[in-house]
Amino acid sequence: MRQSKLFTKTRKEAPADETSRNAQLLIRAGYVYKVMAGVYAYTPLGLRVLENIKQIVREEMNAVGGQELIMTSLQPKEVWEGTGRWSEEVVDVWFKTKLQDETELGLAWSHEEAIMSMMAGYVSSYKDLPISVYQFQTKLRNELRAKSGIMRGREFVMKDMYSLHATKEDMDSYYDKVTEAYKKIYQRLGVGDDTFVTFASGGAFTKFSHEFQTLCEAGEDVLYINRDKTVAVNEEVLDAATAEIGISKEELSPTKTAEVGNIFKFGTEKGEQMHVTFKDSDGNDKPIYLASYGIGITRVMGVIVEKFSDEKGIVWPDAVSPFAIHLVALNTDDAEIKDWAEGVYEGLKAAGVEVLFDDRDARAGEKFADSDLLGIPYRAVVSKKGKENGVFEVVNRHTGEIRMLSEAELYADFATSSGA
Ligand code: ATP
Ligand code: MG
């Protein structure tokens, strides 16, 4: 992609009302556009990052047999009344609306009830189970506070998966499998070493759910972890969880984190409340077991920016970077250099490398500042001096390491590393 063709422009200042670091950087670099508090649009650049995150999640969900679908944002009230979750005392983030004939509707904040209602029409026998479905969907939540940038949106992208089972054993073993898939996801996203499987509040069926919490100063949660980082407990359930695992609170210390995922066993609760049943092998009606598995896709993007940025801008982990390489052309007033840069751009594209090409007529200082702000992890500079020696200066934004590569080396290096 040519930078001269991007409609987004970098900005020196973030909007005055934007207090969170992730949104400040993302807005300044042109990845997101702030529509209002808690509501952000994703530009072509931002969408590339989101799609990279989604693709990693998609691959791991497919690997555990998940089937992708997409549910609706408009939800009938009756489906939620059956489980008591239409009530605003139970769910305090509902956006609700009405049809012209006054019929009340809910705007989807989650989809457990929606999935169960749909599956009632498809599942009749134990032979139809298990089923595992997932989606990437825009959730709408009327959050009280929206001060964490894209980490807490009133409109945000979630990956939510739902698994339906005939037995508790089957649900339990699938839940463990998904837990492992989640660990792989956070590892691939570059935050694995700082992400903990955490005891968190459960529900009617289990005492605890499991949250995936990532160390992050800008996070809104407090986690208690022990020194060797094998135990992590959300402060919301500190007393109950420490009693359960037989560890004293003194062995755990508090740390700020962001909840990047939450997995949950509903057991037969929804199946019973909503009368969603199947016939077992003896022909008896049994309620379906349900578990649900969320990942905050846009929140993860915010957490990544919080963790991987410096005073100059963002430093994307390779796997989620919008481009594998930033090709920055200097001295383009010289026709020969310009031609060379154009040729390298075409060469990289032909080698299958995702490349952002700064082909603008701008000063070197401005180009470097923009490049640092955008945060593509590798920058290859085309310059007069480089051309004389037939090399490009390639800077690694993670380490600051500088390498001088020939054109052939550049293609070889990035054609292999840009597979993500
Ligand atoms: P929180 O406690 O942060 O409000 P939650 O427990 O209500 O989140 P879940 O219903 O568990 O959220 O949703 C699944 C995942 O979606 C969360 O783990 C989180 O990563 C993400 N998420 C939840 N609310 C938001 C939001 N307002 N903006 C962005 N991501 C969110
Ligand atoms: Mg949660």
Side-chain angles (χ1 to χ4, degrees), residues 30-45:
Y31 288 98
V32 306
Y33 168 74
K34 184 174 191 174
V35 177
M36 54 184 155
V39 181
Y40 298 90
Y42 291 79
T43 67
L45 282 180

Side-chain angles (χ1 to χ4, degrees), residues 211 259 261-262:
E211 287 171 349
E259 179 192 326
N262 197 184

Side-chain angles (χ1 to χ4, degrees), residues 166-185:
T167 64
K168 179 175 182 305
E169 293 66 43
D170 197 48
M171 175 182 71
D172 287 346
S173 79
Y174 191 71
Y175 186 90
D176 292 343
K177 233 164 104 173
V178 178
T179 306
E180 292 309 311
Y182 267 48
K183 290 183 191 165
K184 274 191 216 156
I185 288 169

Side-chain angles (χ1 to χ4, degrees), residues 104-125:
E104 281 188 282
L105 298 177
L107 301 179
W109 66 278
S110 191
H111 282 85
E112 284 86 5
E113 277 77 347
I115 290 281
M116 287 296 270
S117 172
M118 179 178 87
M119 288 303 180
Y122 290 104
V123 178
S124 53
S125 144

Side-chain angles (χ1 to χ4, degrees), residues 342-355 411 414-415 418:
E342 290 284 338
V344 176
Y345 174 54
E346 295 303 330
L348 282 166
K349 281 198 299 179
V353 182
E354 297 279 358
V355 51
Y411 297 157
F414 284 90
S418 70

